[in-house]
Amino acid sequence: MLLGVGINELRKLLPMLKAKRAGQSVYAVYTKTNHYGHTPVQMYEYTYMGQLQRYQSESRKQTEQLELYINPNTGKAYSQYDITKQIAKICIMGVMALMTCLMGLPFKEAFTNW
């Protein structure tokens, strides 16, 4: 199950990396902050292909301009925060998988036979 979730998170990361590598970079302008419970969400607006688009960021850092990377195939925008957050999720999943594998090893016998 953990492996399946890790693969799913990796599938989410690949379009983000493609957007950063081969996509178009645009700058979004800060408009307002909405509060959903205890989570502040910054709203940004940018123009892509002649149309006004909106982007929401859960980043704690509020900036007047935010650089977004747009995936050339889907047109979806990603910020560096999104990419970093997704990489952190995958790293945490990897550590959890490693710890799960290590817990299955017979350490008790290894230490008592020394």
Side-chain angles (χ1 to χ4, degrees), residues 81-105:
Y81 176 76
D82 296 330
I83 296 169
T84 305
K85 186 169 119 178
Q86 196 65 26
I87 290 172
K89 281 183 186 179
I90 292 171
C91 290
I92 290 170
M93 296 292 247
V95 168
M96 289 173 61
L98 179 66
M99 293 302 287
T100 303
C101 291
L102 289 176
M103 290 296 185
L105 293 177

Side-chain angles (χ1 to χ4, degrees), residues 31-45:
T31 56
K32 64 181 177 176
T33 299
N34 291 334
H35 294 279
Y36 299 107
H38 295 290
T39 307
V41 177
Q42 289 83 25
M43 305 294 290
Y44 293 89
E45 290 183 347

